[in-house]
Amino acid sequence: MGKIIMAIVGRPNVGKSTLFNKLAGERVSIVEDFPGVTRDRIYYDIAWNRHTITVVDTGGIEPKSEDVITNKMRDQARIAIETADVIAFMCNVHDGVTPDDREIATMLQRSGKPIIPVINKIDTVGALPMEYYEFYELGFEEDPIPLSSIHGTGTGDLLDKALELCPPDDDEEEEDDTIKVAVIGKPNAGKSSIVNRILGEDRMIVSDIAGTTRDAINSYVENDYGKFTFIDTAGIRRQSKVEDRIEKFSVLRAKAAVEKADVCLIMIDASEGITEQDEKIAGLSHEAGKAAIIVVNKWDLIEKDNGTVKEFTDKIRTALAYMPYAPILFVSAKTGQRIDKVFEQIVYVNDQSTLRVSTGMLNDVLSDAMARVQPPTDKGRRLKIYYMTQTGVKPPEFVIFCNSAELFHFSYQRYIENNLREIFGFNGTPVKIIIRQKGDNPQ
């Protein structure tokens, strides 16, 4: 299932937030009838035609305004445009084509991204108002889509057009032998420093000021271990602390980097220890099904004794109990300590995430596991497991067919997963198990 990002942009008060809420199916953005309300970027994943479209709501663009907040909103929208795969440019049919619309249209055309003109507040069904045809003068390749953000008419056409102009590439990773590595973590955890150390050059700006890295920066390296693209992302801080509008877009970019990555390096600052925010950041990788390595940086700053590594490891394993599969590396980007192990681990966990097991071998393991621990029963009914097969990689995905999905308790799923890991490894990667009962529609 592919994913694309669609940003909704336009001048203030044309109905962007109302459209966003209609697409999301709930009131996610604040909607008021005066300009400048939507100062914060908000994004939302929408399932459409077996794909996912991340819709991004932005503050209105006022090209000539010098107001400080308006400037930030304009910067925010520009970052949304850079991040997006496709852009929905929204205008209001009642206002006609305004000078600001023309300036924004010129800016969007320079971006080189696919643009969908969207003309809002067309509530009539059938013949379009004459004012609609004025918007052809903006010179976009695509016909403007008539739409009512309040009633939702035209929203399906918009989503269809987004997928048509920017079809998600589900097979991209299979054609490329470069391992894509997202470096994620809190601000100032040493993400840029470790990428610089790995690359052997100062590619990123490094400072003690949290948030130096605004964008996700790609760096390619080829060595004896293989080909790699490192994506250094902006630090992700707690949502309540994200005051800067641009930084909120940087979080979106970091999340997008995780989606595109094969492996995530989860950076933890040894001097701060494992924090609640580290848990949430690691969760981005886990929920996206990515192979992961936990990299504890600034290890040179820690006073150590014989039990320090075990103590720190235990704290990480407790905090990140949902990802016991991820190996832990203790490194120092500053001194280069154990940096050579990073490439070795990246290749290893990437290989584990692409591991395929034959159906015959899987069912041998399944039979042995069931012989040792009987499937659960409930009110006289016993779970019957017919067979298991692997249906995907990155992460390894398995479908188990049984007589009752309800009887297949989570604890028994975990037991099966542990058996798979014990026999085949799958180190460094999540494992996805799908339960299907006899007669289920495989869709």
Side-chain angles (χ1 to χ4, degrees), residues 21-93:
N21 291 337
K22 181 60 72 172
L23 291 172
E26 55 186 284
R27 284 177 63 89
V28 181
S29 280
I30 300 168
V31 181
E32 297 291 348
D33 195 22
F34 57 88
V37 169
T38 308
R39 294 176 185 171
D40 297 329
R41 174 271 319 127
I42 300 176
Y43 46 89
Y44 200 89
D45 283 351
I46 296 167
W48 188 256
N49 285 351
R50 300 178 65 86
H51 295 292
T52 300
I53 301 176
T54 301
V55 181
V56 184
D57 186 22
T58 65
I61 304 174
E62 295 185 76
K64 291 194 170 78
S65 174
E66 295 304 319
D67 174 74
V68 173
I69 291 178
T70 304
N71 284 343
K72 281 191 176 290
M73 290 161 64
R74 185 164 57 229
D75 289 341
Q76 175 201 60
R78 283 193 177 118
I79 294 175
I81 290 164
E82 291 170 19
T83 309
D85 299 303
V86 62
I87 297 156
F89 172 38
M90 199 164 191
C91 301
N92 181 340
V93 73

Side-chain angles (χ1 to χ4, degrees), residues 3 30 89 133 141 158 162 201 221 243 256 368 379 414:
K3 176 180 276 193
I30 300 168
F89 172 38
Y133 297 97
E141 290 184 16
L158 171 60
E201 57 183 291
V221 62
E243 300 288 337
D368 184 57
K379 296 177 183 174
R414 178 58 55 86

Side-chain angles (χ1 to χ4, degrees), residues 207-226:
S207 79
D208 290 332
I209 302 168
T212 305
T213 306
R214 286 288 195 187
D215 301 334
I217 303 167
N218 292 6
S219 299
Y220 178 81
V221 62
E222 189 171 346
N223 58 22
D224 291 343
Y225 290 98

Side-chain angles (χ1 to χ4, degrees), residues 395-408:
E397 179 182 273
F398 303 92
V399 175
I400 300 178
F401 292 87
C402 64
N403 65 328
S404 170
E406 190 180 348
L407 287 174
F408 212 130

Side-chain angles (χ1 to χ4, degrees), residues 114-380:
I115 312 294
I116 307 170
V118 177
I119 315 306
N120 191 27
K121 304 192 180 179
I122 298 182
D123 301 324
T124 55
V125 177
L128 293 167
M130 289 304 297
E131 293 83 357
Y132 161 84
Y133 297 97
E134 292 178 23
F135 292 90
Y136 277 93
E137 76 173 70
L138 293 173
F140 291 107
E141 290 184 16
E142 299 301 321
D143 292 333
I145 291 182
L147 182 142
S148 169
S149 58
I150 291 177
H151 298 112
T153 55
T155 53
D157 294 337
L158 171 60
L159 297 176
D160 284 342
K161 179 60 71 172
L163 291 177
E164 177 191 324
L165 293 179
C166 196
D169 190 351
D170 297 315
D171 302 320
E172 183 183 49
E173 68 275 4
E174 294 176 15
E175 299 168 1
D176 188 359
D177 60 353
T178 302
I179 301 175
K180 292 174 279 295
V181 185
V183 187
I184 61 174
K186 292 184 306 186
N188 212 27
K191 297 180 298 300
S192 296
S193 297
I194 200 166
V195 174
N196 285 340
R197 173 65 72 168
I198 285 168
L199 297 174
E201 57 183 291
D202 286 341
R203 187 73 62 92
M204 287 86 181
I205 299 166
V206 179
S207 79
D208 290 332
I209 302 168
T212 305
T213 306
R214 286 288 195 187
D215 301 334
I217 303 167
N218 292 6
S219 299
Y220 178 81
V221 62
E222 189 171 346
N223 58 22
D224 291 343
Y225 290 98
K227 302 172 185 175
F228 307 86
T229 297
F230 285 89
I231 311 165
D232 181 33
T233 60
I236 305 172
R237 28 178 122 193
R238 286 215 325 264
Q239 202 65 25
S240 59
K241 289 191 175 179
V242 183
E243 300 288 337
D244 187 338
R245 319 306 177 203
I246 299 174
E247 188 175 322
K248 285 199 172 186
F249 273 98
S250 298
V251 174
L252 173 66
R253 183 162 285 177
K255 290 186 177 187
V258 169
E259 291 287 348
K260 292 173 183 175
D262 301 306
V263 177
C264 291
L265 297 187
I266 301 163
M267 299 292 295
I268 292 174
D269 186 335
S271 62
E272 291 187 13
I274 183 88
T275 67
E276 184 181 347
Q277 185 61 2
D278 291 319
E279 295 175 37
K280 290 179 180 175
I281 291 166
L284 291 176
S285 169
H286 177 72
E287 287 166 14
K290 303 299 179 177
I293 303 163
I294 300 164
V295 181
V296 183
N297 190 30
K298 306 184 185 178
W299 195 239
D300 55 306
L301 302 180
I302 302 300
E303 290 186 22
K304 306 171 191 69
D305 58 33
N306 290 338
T308 309
V309 168
K310 183 182 185 306
E311 183 182 338
F312 214 101
T313 299
D314 289 345
K315 286 179 180 176
I316 291 173
R317 291 302 182 205
T318 300
L320 305 182
Y322 55 85
M323 51 190 313
Y325 52 81
I328 302 172
L329 284 179
F330 294 89
V331 308
S332 168
K334 187 175 181 181
T335 68
Q337 181 184 19
R338 295 193 193 88
I339 295 296
D340 58 323
K341 297 288 184 186
V342 174
F343 281 111
E344 190 178 303
Q345 285 291 329
I346 289 170
V347 172
Y348 176 63
V349 301
N350 183 67
D351 287 346
Q352 292 284 295
S353 75
T354 58
L355 193 63
R356 286 191 181 272
V357 182
S358 71
T359 299
M361 291 178 71
L362 283 174
N363 286 284
D364 287 345
V365 172
L366 183 62
S367 297
D368 184 57
M370 289 192 295
R372 282 186 283 129
V373 177
Q374 287 287 308
T377 60
D378 185 33
K379 296 177 183 174

